[in-house]
Each structure stands twice: as structure tokens, then as C-alpha cells.
CSV table of all heavy atoms in Angstrom, one decimal:
chain,number,residue,atom,x,y,z
J,79,MET,N,47.2,-67.8,-186.5
J,79,MET,CA,46.0,-68.6,-186.2
J,79,MET,C,45.1,-67.9,-185.2
J,79,MET,O,43.9,-68.0,-185.4
J,79,MET,CB,46.4,-70.0,-185.6
J,79,MET,CG,47.2,-70.8,-186.6
J,79,MET,SD,46.2,-71.2,-188.1
J,79,MET,CE,45.0,-72.2,-187.5
J,80,GLU,N,45.6,-67.2,-184.3
J,80,GLU,CA,44.8,-66.6,-183.2
J,80,GLU,C,43.9,-65.5,-183.8
J,80,GLU,O,42.7,-65.4,-183.5
J,80,GLU,CB,45.7,-66.0,-182.1
J,80,GLU,CG,44.9,-65.4,-181.0
J,80,GLU,CD,45.8,-64.9,-179.9
J,80,GLU,OE1,47.0,-65.1,-179.9
J,80,GLU,OE2,45.2,-64.2,-179.0
J,81,VAL,N,44.4,-64.7,-184.8
J,81,VAL,CA,43.6,-63.7,-185.4
J,81,VAL,C,42.5,-64.2,-186.2
J,81,VAL,O,41.4,-63.7,-186.2
J,81,VAL,CB,44.5,-62.7,-186.2
J,81,VAL,CG1,44.9,-63.4,-187.5
J,81,VAL,CG2,43.8,-61.4,-186.5
J,82,ILE,N,42.7,-65.4,-186.8
J,82,ILE,CA,41.6,-66.0,-187.5
J,82,ILE,C,40.5,-66.6,-186.5
J,82,ILE,O,39.3,-66.4,-186.7
J,82,ILE,CB,42.1,-67.1,-188.4
J,82,ILE,CG1,42.9,-66.5,-189.6
J,82,ILE,CG2,41.0,-68.0,-189.0
J,82,ILE,CD1,43.7,-67.4,-190.4
J,83,ALA,N,41.0,-67.2,-185.5
J,83,ALA,CA,40.1,-67.7,-184.5
J,83,ALA,C,39.3,-66.6,-183.8
J,83,ALA,O,38.1,-66.7,-183.6
J,83,ALA,CB,40.9,-68.5,-183.4
J,84,ARG,N,39.9,-65.5,-183.5
J,84,ARG,CA,39.2,-64.4,-182.9
J,84,ARG,C,38.2,-63.7,-183.8
J,84,ARG,O,37.3,-63.0,-183.4
J,84,ARG,CB,40.2,-63.3,-182.4
J,84,ARG,CG,40.9,-63.8,-181.1
J,84,ARG,CD,41.9,-62.7,-180.6
J,84,ARG,NE,42.6,-63.2,-179.5
J,84,ARG,CZ,42.7,-62.5,-178.4
J,84,ARG,NH1,42.0,-61.4,-178.2
J,84,ARG,NH2,43.3,-63.0,-177.4
J,85,SER,N,38.4,-63.8,-185.1
J,85,SER,CA,37.5,-63.2,-186.1
J,85,SER,C,36.3,-64.1,-186.4
J,85,SER,O,35.4,-63.7,-187.1
J,85,SER,CB,38.2,-62.9,-187.4
J,85,SER,OG,38.6,-64.1,-188.0
J,86,GLY,N,36.3,-65.3,-185.8
J,86,GLY,CA,35.1,-66.2,-186.0
J,86,GLY,C,35.4,-67.4,-186.9
J,86,GLY,O,34.5,-68.0,-187.4
J,87,ASP,N,36.7,-67.7,-187.2
J,87,ASP,CA,37.1,-68.8,-188.0
J,87,ASP,C,36.9,-68.5,-189.5
J,87,ASP,O,36.4,-67.5,-189.9
J,87,ASP,CB,36.5,-70.1,-187.6
J,87,ASP,CG,37.3,-71.3,-187.9
J,87,ASP,OD1,38.4,-71.1,-188.5
J,87,ASP,OD2,36.8,-72.4,-187.7
J,88,LEU,N,37.4,-69.4,-190.3
J,88,LEU,CA,37.2,-69.3,-191.8
J,88,LEU,C,35.9,-69.9,-192.2
J,88,LEU,O,35.5,-70.9,-191.6
J,88,LEU,CB,38.4,-70.0,-192.5
J,88,LEU,CG,39.8,-69.4,-192.2
J,88,LEU,CD1,40.8,-70.3,-192.8
J,88,LEU,CD2,39.9,-68.0,-192.7
J,89,THR,N,35.3,-69.3,-193.2
J,89,THR,CA,34.0,-69.9,-193.7
J,89,THR,C,34.4,-71.0,-194.8
J,89,THR,O,35.6,-71.2,-195.1
J,89,THR,CB,33.2,-68.8,-194.4
J,89,THR,OG1,33.8,-68.3,-195.6
J,89,THR,CG2,32.9,-67.7,-193.4
J,90,ASP,N,33.4,-71.6,-195.3
J,90,ASP,CA,33.6,-72.6,-196.4
J,90,ASP,C,34.1,-72.0,-197.7
J,90,ASP,O,34.6,-72.7,-198.5
J,90,ASP,CB,32.3,-73.4,-196.6
J,90,ASP,CG,31.9,-74.2,-195.4
J,90,ASP,OD1,32.8,-74.6,-194.6
J,90,ASP,OD2,30.7,-74.6,-195.3
J,91,PHE,N,33.9,-70.7,-197.8
J,91,PHE,CA,34.3,-70.0,-199.0
J,91,PHE,C,35.7,-69.4,-198.9
J,91,PHE,O,36.2,-68.7,-199.8
J,91,PHE,CB,33.3,-68.8,-199.3
J,91,PHE,CG,32.0,-69.4,-199.7
J,91,PHE,CD1,30.9,-69.4,-198.8
J,91,PHE,CD2,31.7,-69.8,-201.0
J,91,PHE,CE1,29.7,-69.9,-199.1
J,91,PHE,CE2,30.5,-70.3,-201.3
J,91,PHE,CZ,29.4,-70.3,-200.4
J,92,ALA,N,36.4,-69.6,-197.8
J,92,ALA,CA,37.8,-69.1,-197.6
J,92,ALA,C,38.8,-70.0,-198.3
J,92,ALA,O,38.8,-71.2,-198.1
J,92,ALA,CB,38.1,-68.9,-196.1
J,93,GLU,N,39.8,-69.3,-198.9
J,93,GLU,CA,40.9,-70.0,-199.5
J,93,GLU,C,42.0,-70.2,-198.5
J,93,GLU,O,42.6,-69.2,-198.1
J,93,GLU,CB,41.4,-69.3,-200.8
J,93,GLU,CG,42.6,-69.9,-201.4
J,93,GLU,CD,42.3,-71.3,-201.9
J,93,GLU,OE1,41.4,-71.4,-202.8
J,93,GLU,OE2,43.0,-72.2,-201.5
J,94,ARG,N,42.2,-71.4,-198.1
J,94,ARG,CA,43.2,-71.6,-197.0
J,94,ARG,C,44.6,-71.7,-197.5
J,94,ARG,O,45.6,-71.7,-196.7
J,94,ARG,CB,42.9,-73.0,-196.3
J,94,ARG,CG,41.7,-72.8,-195.4
J,94,ARG,CD,40.9,-74.1,-195.3
J,94,ARG,NE,39.8,-73.9,-194.3
J,94,ARG,CZ,38.6,-73.4,-194.6
J,94,ARG,NH1,38.4,-72.8,-195.7
J,94,ARG,NH2,37.7,-73.3,-193.6
J,95,ARG,N,44.9,-71.6,-198.8
J,95,ARG,CA,46.2,-71.7,-199.3
J,95,ARG,C,46.7,-70.3,-199.7
J,95,ARG,O,47.9,-70.2,-200.1
J,95,ARG,CB,46.2,-72.6,-200.6
J,95,ARG,CG,46.0,-74.0,-200.2
J,95,ARG,CD,46.0,-74.9,-201.4
J,95,ARG,NE,45.6,-76.2,-200.9
J,95,ARG,CZ,45.6,-77.2,-201.7
J,95,ARG,NH1,46.0,-77.2,-202.9
J,95,ARG,NH2,45.2,-78.4,-201.2
J,96,GLY,N,45.9,-69.3,-199.6
J,96,GLY,CA,46.3,-68.0,-200.1
J,96,GLY,C,46.0,-66.9,-199.2
J,96,GLY,O,45.4,-65.9,-199.5
J,97,ILE,N,46.4,-67.0,-197.9
J,97,ILE,CA,46.1,-65.9,-196.9
J,97,ILE,C,47.3,-65.0,-197.0
J,97,ILE,O,48.5,-65.4,-196.9
J,97,ILE,CB,46.0,-66.5,-195.5
J,97,ILE,CG1,44.7,-67.4,-195.5
J,97,ILE,CG2,45.9,-65.4,-194.5
J,97,ILE,CD1,44.5,-68.2,-194.2
J,98,LEU,N,47.0,-63.7,-197.1
J,98,LEU,CA,48.0,-62.7,-197.3
J,98,LEU,C,48.1,-61.8,-196.0
J,98,LEU,O,47.1,-61.5,-195.4
J,98,LEU,CB,47.7,-61.7,-198.4
J,98,LEU,CG,47.5,-62.4,-199.8
J,98,LEU,CD1,47.1,-61.4,-200.8
J,98,LEU,CD2,48.8,-63.1,-200.2
J,99,ILE,N,49.4,-61.5,-195.6
J,99,ILE,CA,49.6,-60.6,-194.5
J,99,ILE,C,50.3,-59.4,-195.2
J,99,ILE,O,51.4,-59.6,-195.7
J,99,ILE,CB,50.5,-61.2,-193.4
J,99,ILE,CG1,49.7,-62.4,-192.8
J,99,ILE,CG2,50.8,-60.2,-192.4
J,99,ILE,CD1,50.5,-63.2,-191.8
J,100,LEU,N,49.7,-58.3,-195.1
J,100,LEU,CA,50.3,-57.0,-195.7
J,100,LEU,C,50.8,-56.2,-194.5
J,100,LEU,O,50.1,-55.9,-193.5
J,100,LEU,CB,49.2,-56.3,-196.4
J,100,LEU,CG,48.4,-57.1,-197.5
J,100,LEU,CD1,47.2,-56.4,-197.9
J,100,LEU,CD2,49.4,-57.4,-198.6
J,101,ARG,N,52.0,-55.7,-194.7
J,101,ARG,CA,52.7,-54.9,-193.7
J,101,ARG,C,53.4,-53.8,-194.3
J,101,ARG,O,54.0,-53.9,-195.4
J,101,ARG,CB,53.6,-55.8,-192.9
J,101,ARG,CG,54.4,-55.1,-191.8
J,101,ARG,CD,55.3,-56.1,-191.1
J,101,ARG,NE,54.5,-57.0,-190.3
J,101,ARG,CZ,54.8,-58.1,-189.8
J,101,ARG,NH1,56.0,-58.6,-190.0
J,101,ARG,NH2,54.0,-58.8,-189.1
J,102,GLY,N,53.4,-52.6,-193.6
J,102,GLY,CA,54.3,-51.5,-194.1
J,102,GLY,C,53.5,-50.5,-194.8
J,102,GLY,O,52.3,-50.4,-194.8
J,103,ASP,N,54.2,-49.7,-195.6
J,103,ASP,CA,53.7,-48.6,-196.4
J,103,ASP,C,52.8,-49.1,-197.6
J,103,ASP,O,53.1,-50.1,-198.2
J,103,ASP,CB,54.9,-47.8,-197.0
J,103,ASP,CG,54.5,-46.6,-197.7
J,103,ASP,OD1,53.3,-46.2,-197.6
J,103,ASP,OD2,55.4,-45.9,-198.3
J,104,LEU,N,51.7,-48.4,-197.8
J,104,LEU,CA,50.8,-48.9,-198.9
J,104,LEU,C,51.5,-48.8,-200.3
J,104,LEU,O,51.1,-49.5,-201.2
J,104,LEU,CB,49.5,-48.1,-198.9
J,104,LEU,CG,48.7,-48.3,-197.7
J,104,LEU,CD1,47.4,-47.4,-197.7
J,104,LEU,CD2,48.2,-49.8,-197.6
J,105,ARG,N,52.5,-47.9,-200.4
J,105,ARG,CA,53.1,-47.8,-201.7
J,105,ARG,C,54.2,-48.9,-202.0
J,105,ARG,O,54.5,-49.2,-203.1
J,105,ARG,CB,53.8,-46.4,-201.9
J,105,ARG,CG,52.8,-45.3,-201.9
J,105,ARG,CD,53.5,-44.0,-202.0
J,105,ARG,NE,52.5,-42.9,-201.9
J,105,ARG,CZ,52.5,-41.8,-202.6
J,105,ARG,NH1,53.5,-41.6,-203.4
J,105,ARG,NH2,51.5,-40.9,-202.4
J,106,ASN,N,54.7,-49.4,-200.9
J,106,ASN,CA,55.7,-50.4,-200.9
J,106,ASN,C,55.5,-51.4,-199.8
J,106,ASN,O,56.3,-51.5,-198.9
J,106,ASN,CB,57.1,-49.8,-200.9
J,106,ASN,CG,58.2,-50.8,-201.2
J,106,ASN,OD1,57.9,-51.9,-201.8
J,106,ASN,ND2,59.4,-50.5,-200.7
J,107,PRO,N,54.4,-52.2,-199.9
J,107,PRO,CA,54.1,-53.1,-198.8
J,107,PRO,C,54.9,-54.4,-198.8
J,107,PRO,O,55.4,-54.8,-199.8
J,107,PRO,CB,52.6,-53.4,-199.0
J,107,PRO,CG,52.5,-53.3,-200.4
J,107,PRO,CD,53.4,-52.2,-200.9
J,108,GLU,N,55.1,-54.9,-197.6
J,108,GLU,CA,55.7,-56.3,-197.5
J,108,GLU,C,54.5,-57.2,-197.5
J,108,GLU,O,53.6,-57.1,-196.7
J,108,GLU,CB,56.5,-56.4,-196.2
J,108,GLU,CG,57.1,-57.7,-195.9
J,108,GLU,CD,57.7,-57.8,-194.5
J,108,GLU,OE1,58.0,-56.8,-194.0
J,108,GLU,OE2,57.8,-59.0,-194.1
J,109,VAL,N,54.5,-58.2,-198.4
J,109,VAL,CA,53.4,-59.1,-198.5
J,109,VAL,C,54.0,-60.5,-198.2
J,109,VAL,O,54.9,-61.0,-198.9
J,109,VAL,CB,52.8,-59.1,-199.9
J,109,VAL,CG1,51.7,-60.1,-200.0
J,109,VAL,CG2,52.3,-57.7,-200.3
J,110,ARG,N,53.3,-61.2,-197.3
J,110,ARG,CA,53.6,-62.6,-197.0
J,110,ARG,C,52.4,-63.5,-197.3
J,110,ARG,O,51.3,-63.2,-196.9
J,110,ARG,CB,54.0,-62.8,-195.6
J,110,ARG,CG,55.3,-62.1,-195.2
J,110,ARG,CD,55.7,-62.3,-193.8
J,110,ARG,NE,56.1,-63.7,-193.7
J,110,ARG,CZ,56.5,-64.3,-192.5
J,110,ARG,NH1,56.5,-63.6,-191.4
J,110,ARG,NH2,56.9,-65.5,-192.5
J,111,MET,N,52.6,-64.6,-198.1
J,111,MET,CA,51.6,-65.5,-198.4
J,111,MET,C,51.7,-66.7,-197.4
J,111,MET,O,52.7,-67.3,-197.3
J,111,MET,CB,51.6,-66.0,-199.8
J,111,MET,CG,50.4,-66.8,-200.2
J,111,MET,SD,50.3,-67.2,-201.9
J,111,MET,CE,49.6,-65.7,-202.5
J,112,ILE,N,50.6,-67.0,-196.8
J,112,ILE,CA,50.5,-68.1,-195.8
J,112,ILE,C,49.6,-69.2,-196.4
J,112,ILE,O,48.5,-69.0,-196.9
J,112,ILE,CB,49.9,-67.6,-194.5
J,112,ILE,CG1,50.7,-66.4,-194.0
J,112,ILE,CG2,49.9,-68.7,-193.4
J,112,ILE,CD1,52.2,-66.6,-193.7
J,113,ASP,N,50.1,-70.5,-196.3
J,113,ASP,CA,49.3,-71.6,-196.7
J,113,ASP,C,49.0,-72.4,-195.4
J,113,ASP,O,49.8,-73.1,-194.8
J,113,ASP,CB,50.2,-72.5,-197.6
J,113,ASP,CG,49.4,-73.7,-198.1
J,113,ASP,OD1,48.3,-74.0,-197.7
J,113,ASP,OD2,50.0,-74.4,-199.0
J,114,LEU,N,47.7,-72.4,-195.0
J,114,LEU,CA,47.3,-73.0,-193.8
J,114,LEU,C,47.1,-74.6,-193.9
J,114,LEU,O,46.9,-75.3,-193.0
J,114,LEU,CB,46.0,-72.5,-193.3
J,114,LEU,CG,46.1,-71.1,-192.7
J,114,LEU,CD1,44.7,-70.6,-192.2
J,114,LEU,CD2,47.1,-71.0,-191.6
J,115,THR,N,47.3,-75.1,-195.2
J,115,THR,CA,47.2,-76.5,-195.4
J,115,THR,C,48.5,-77.2,-195.1
J,115,THR,O,48.6,-78.4,-195.0
J,115,THR,CB,46.8,-76.8,-196.8
J,115,THR,OG1,47.7,-76.4,-197.7
J,115,THR,CG2,45.4,-76.2,-197.1
J,116,GLN,N,49.6,-76.4,-194.9
J,116,GLN,CA,50.9,-77.0,-194.6
J,116,GLN,C,51.2,-76.8,-193.1
J,116,GLN,O,51.2,-75.7,-192.6
J,116,GLN,CB,52.0,-76.2,-195.4
J,116,GLN,CG,51.8,-76.4,-196.9
J,116,GLN,CD,52.0,-77.8,-197.3
J,116,GLN,OE1,52.9,-78.5,-196.8
J,116,GLN,NE2,51.2,-78.2,-198.3
J,117,MET,N,51.5,-77.8,-192.4
J,117,MET,CA,51.8,-77.8,-191.0
J,117,MET,C,53.1,-76.9,-190.7
J,117,MET,O,53.2,-76.3,-189.7
J,117,MET,CB,52.0,-79.2,-190.4
J,117,MET,CG,52.1,-79.2,-189.0
J,117,MET,SD,50.5,-78.6,-188.3
J,117,MET,CE,50.7,-79.0,-186.6
J,118,SER,N,54.0,-76.9,-191.6
J,118,SER,CA,55.3,-76.2,-191.4
J,118,SER,C,55.0,-74.7,-191.4
J,118,SER,O,55.7,-73.9,-190.6
J,118,SER,CB,56.3,-76.5,-192.5
J,118,SER,OG,55.7,-76.1,-193.8
J,119,THR,N,54.0,-74.2,-192.1
J,119,THR,CA,53.6,-72.8,-192.0
J,119,THR,C,53.0,-72.4,-190.7
J,119,THR,O,53.3,-71.4,-190.1
J,119,THR,CB,52.6,-72.5,-193.1
J,119,THR,OG1,53.1,-72.8,-194.4
J,119,THR,CG2,52.2,-71.0,-193.1
J,120,ILE,N,52.2,-73.3,-190.1
J,120,ILE,CA,51.6,-73.0,-188.9
J,120,ILE,C,52.6,-72.9,-187.7
J,120,ILE,O,52.4,-72.2,-186.8
J,120,ILE,CB,50.5,-74.1,-188.6
J,120,ILE,CG1,49.4,-74.0,-189.7
J,120,ILE,CG2,49.9,-73.9,-187.2
J,120,ILE,CD1,48.5,-75.2,-189.7
J,121,THR,N,53.7,-73.7,-187.8
J,121,THR,CA,54.6,-73.7,-186.7
J,121,THR,C,55.7,-72.6,-186.8
J,121,THR,O,56.5,-72.5,-185.9
J,121,THR,CB,55.3,-75.1,-186.6
J,121,THR,OG1,56.0,-75.3,-187.9
J,121,THR,CG2,54.3,-76.2,-186.4
J,122,ILE,N,55.7,-71.8,-187.8
J,122,ILE,CA,56.7,-70.7,-187.9
J,122,ILE,C,56.4,-69.7,-186.9
J,122,ILE,O,55.3,-69.1,-186.7
J,122,ILE,CB,56.6,-70.1,-189.3
J,122,ILE,CG1,57.0,-71.1,-190.4
J,122,ILE,CG2,57.5,-68.8,-189.4
J,122,ILE,CD1,56.8,-70.6,-191.8
J,123,SER,N,57.5,-69.4,-186.1
J,123,SER,CA,57.3,-68.4,-185.0
J,123,SER,C,57.4,-67.0,-185.4
J,123,SER,O,57.1,-66.1,-184.7
J,123,SER,CB,58.4,-68.7,-183.9
J,123,SER,OG,59.6,-68.5,-184.5
J,124,SER,N,57.8,-66.7,-186.7
J,124,SER,CA,57.9,-65.3,-187.2
J,124,SER,C,56.5,-64.8,-187.7
J,124,SER,O,56.5,-63.8,-188.4
J,124,SER,CB,58.9,-65.3,-188.3
J,124,SER,OG,58.5,-66.0,-189.4
J,125,LEU,N,55.4,-65.5,-187.4
J,125,LEU,CA,54.2,-65.0,-187.9
J,125,LEU,C,53.4,-64.1,-187.0
J,125,LEU,O,52.2,-64.0,-187.0
J,125,LEU,CB,53.3,-66.2,-188.2
J,125,LEU,CG,53.7,-67.1,-189.4
J,125,LEU,CD1,52.7,-68.2,-189.6
J,125,LEU,CD2,53.7,-66.2,-190.7
J,126,TYR,N,54.1,-63.4,-186.1
J,126,TYR,CA,53.5,-62.5,-185.2
J,126,TYR,C,53.0,-61.3,-185.9
J,126,TYR,O,53.7,-60.8,-186.8
J,126,TYR,CB,54.5,-62.1,-184.1
J,126,TYR,CG,54.8,-63.2,-183.1
J,126,TYR,CD1,56.0,-63.8,-183.1
J,126,TYR,CD2,53.8,-63.6,-182.2
J,126,TYR,CE1,56.3,-64.8,-182.2
J,126,TYR,CE2,54.1,-64.6,-181.3
J,126,TYR,CZ,55.3,-65.2,-181.3
J,126,TYR,OH,55.6,-66.2,-180.4
J,127,LEU,N,51.8,-60.8,-185.6
J,127,LEU,CA,51.3,-59.6,-186.3
J,127,LEU,C,51.7,-58.4,-185.5
J,127,LEU,O,51.9,-58.4,-184.3
J,127,LEU,CB,49.8,-59.7,-186.3
J,127,LEU,CG,49.2,-60.7,-187.2
J,127,LEU,CD1,47.6,-60.7,-187.1
J,127,LEU,CD2,49.6,-60.6,-188.6
J,128,LYS,N,51.9,-57.3,-186.3
J,128,LYS,CA,52.3,-56.0,-185.7
J,128,LYS,C,51.1,-55.1,-185.9
J,128,LYS,O,50.2,-55.3,-186.7
J,128,LYS,CB,53.5,-55.5,-186.4
J,128,LYS,CG,54.8,-56.3,-186.2
J,128,LYS,CD,55.9,-55.7,-186.9
J,128,LYS,CE,57.2,-56.5,-186.7
J,128,LYS,NZ,58.3,-55.9,-187.4
J,129,PRO,N,51.1,-54.0,-185.1
J,129,PRO,CA,50.0,-53.0,-185.3
J,129,PRO,C,49.9,-52.6,-186.8
J,129,PRO,O,50.9,-52.4,-187.4
J,129,PRO,CB,50.4,-51.8,-184.4
J,129,PRO,CG,51.2,-52.5,-183.4
J,129,PRO,CD,52.0,-53.6,-184.1
J,130,ASN,N,48.7,-52.4,-187.3
J,130,ASN,CA,48.4,-52.0,-188.6
J,130,ASN,C,48.6,-53.0,-189.7
J,130,ASN,O,48.5,-52.7,-190.9
J,130,ASN,CB,49.1,-50.7,-189.0
J,130,ASN,CG,48.7,-49.5,-188.1
J,130,ASN,OD1,47.5,-49.4,-187.7
J,130,ASN,ND2,49.7,-48.7,-187.7
J,131,ASP,N,48.9,-54.3,-189.3
J,131,ASP,CA,49.0,-55.3,-190.3
J,131,ASP,C,47.6,-55.6,-190.8
J,131,ASP,O,46.6,-55.5,-190.1
J,131,ASP,CB,49.6,-56.6,-189.7
J,131,ASP,CG,51.1,-56.5,-189.6
J,131,ASP,OD1,51.7,-55.6,-190.0
J,131,ASP,OD2,51.7,-57.5,-189.0
J,132,ILE,N,47.5,-56.1,-192.1
J,132,ILE,CA,46.3,-56.4,-192.7
J,132,ILE,C,46.3,-57.9,-193.0
J,132,ILE,O,47.3,-58.4,-193.7
J,132,ILE,CB,46.0,-55.6,-193.9
J,132,ILE,CG1,45.9,-54.1,-193.6
J,132,ILE,CG2,44.7,-56.1,-194.6
J,132,ILE,CD1,45.9,-53.2,-194.8
J,133,VAL,N,45.3,-58.7,-192.6
J,133,VAL,CA,45.3,-60.1,-192.9
J,133,VAL,C,44.1,-60.2,-193.9
J,133,VAL,O,43.0,-59.9,-193.6
J,133,VAL,CB,45.0,-61.0,-191.7
J,133,VAL,CG1,44.8,-62.4,-192.0
J,133,VAL,CG2,46.1,-60.8,-190.6
J,134,TYR,N,44.4,-60.7,-195.1
J,134,TYR,CA,43.4,-60.8,-196.2
J,134,TYR,C,43.3,-62.3,-196.5
J,134,TYR,O,44.3,-63.0,-196.9
J,134,TYR,CB,43.8,-60.0,-197.4
J,134,TYR,CG,42.9,-60.2,-198.6
J,134,TYR,CD1,41.6,-59.6,-198.5
J,134,TYR,CD2,43.3,-60.9,-199.7
J,134,TYR,CE1,40.7,-59.8,-199.6
J,134,TYR,CE2,42.4,-61.1,-200.7
J,134,TYR,CZ,41.1,-60.5,-200.7
J,134,TYR,OH,40.3,-60.7,-201.7
J,135,VAL,N,42.1,-62.8,-196.4
J,135,VAL,CA,41.8,-64.2,-196.8
J,135,VAL,C,41.1,-64.2,-198.1
J,135,VAL,O,40.0,-63.6,-198.2
J,135,VAL,CB,40.9,-64.9,-195.7
J,135,VAL,CG1,40.6,-66.3,-196.1
J,135,VAL,CG2,41.6,-64.9,-194.4
J,136,GLN,N,41.7,-64.7,-199.1
J,136,GLN,CA,41.1,-64.7,-200.5
J,136,GLN,C,39.9,-65.7,-200.5
J,136,GLN,O,39.9,-66.7,-199.9
J,136,GLN,CB,42.1,-65.1,-201.5
J,136,GLN,CG,43.3,-64.2,-201.5
J,136,GLN,CD,44.4,-64.7,-202.5
J,136,GLN,OE1,44.0,-64.8,-203.7
J,136,GLN,NE2,45.6,-64.8,-202.1
J,137,PRO,N,38.9,-65.3,-201.3
J,137,PRO,CA,37.7,-66.2,-201.4
J,137,PRO,C,37.9,-67.2,-202.5
J,137,PRO,O,38.7,-67.1,-203.4
J,137,PRO,CB,36.6,-65.2,-201.9
J,137,PRO,CG,37.3,-64.1,-202.6
J,137,PRO,CD,38.7,-64.0,-201.9
J,138,ARG,N,37.3,-68.4,-202.3
J,138,ARG,CA,37.3,-69.4,-203.3
J,138,ARG,C,36.2,-69.1,-204.3
J,138,ARG,O,35.2,-68.4,-204.0
J,138,ARG,CB,36.9,-70.8,-202.7
J,138,ARG,CG,38.0,-71.3,-201.8
J,138,ARG,CD,37.5,-72.7,-201.4
J,138,ARG,NE,38.4,-73.3,-200.4
J,138,ARG,CZ,38.4,-74.5,-199.9
J,138,ARG,NH1,37.4,-75.2,-200.3
J,138,ARG,NH2,39.2,-74.9,-199.1
J,139,SER,N,36.3,-69.7,-205.5
J,139,SER,CA,35.3,-69.5,-206.5
J,139,SER,C,34.0,-70.4,-206.2
J,139,SER,O,33.0,-70.1,-206.7
J,139,SER,CB,35.8,-69.9,-207.9
J,139,SER,OG,36.3,-71.2,-207.9
J,140,SER,N,34.2,-71.5,-205.4
J,140,SER,CA,33.1,-72.3,-205.0
J,140,SER,C,33.2,-72.7,-203.6
J,140,SER,O,34.3,-72.7,-203.0
J,140,SER,CB,33.0,-73.5,-205.9
J,140,SER,OG,34.1,-74.3,-205.8
J,141,LYS,N,32.2,-73.2,-203.0
J,141,LYS,CA,32.2,-73.6,-201.6
J,141,LYS,C,33.0,-74.9,-201.4
J,141,LYS,O,32.9,-75.8,-202.2
J,141,LYS,CB,30.8,-73.9,-201.1
J,141,LYS,CG,30.6,-74.2,-199.7
J,141,LYS,CD,29.2,-74.3,-199.3
J,141,LYS,CE,29.0,-74.6,-197.8
J,141,LYS,NZ,27.6,-74.6,-197.4
J,142,GLY,N,33.9,-74.9,-200.4
J,142,GLY,CA,34.8,-76.0,-200.2
J,142,GLY,C,34.2,-77.1,-199.4
J,142,GLY,O,33.2,-77.1,-198.9
């Protein structure tokens, strides 16, 4: 949540159910999908980012 807040929050075009965290080697990355609409996802303590992690917020097809 902190990385999203520091980047200026999510826009109306951001998909809150399909946020990806990419970690590791580009040939064999570890991919985690985060659903911000579920409170249980937000409270998981294993969501700490490591150096070189990529957070990708997928766009919606229409404004939410």
C-alpha cells in the first residue's frame, strides 16, 4: 500500500483486482497477484517489497 501511496495513488483507470508484483530473474520471475478489494490481502505481512521488485497496475478498459 505504501508504494502505491508514494506514487500518487491509483487513478480511476487502475484495476484494483489485478496488481502484479514481479520479483526475480526476468526469464523465470516470481509473480504475485494482489487484489486490493479484499481486506485479507491488505493485511498480509509478507507483502514487503525487495530491491528491484516491479509493481504493475493493470489498466481498466473503462473509467471506474
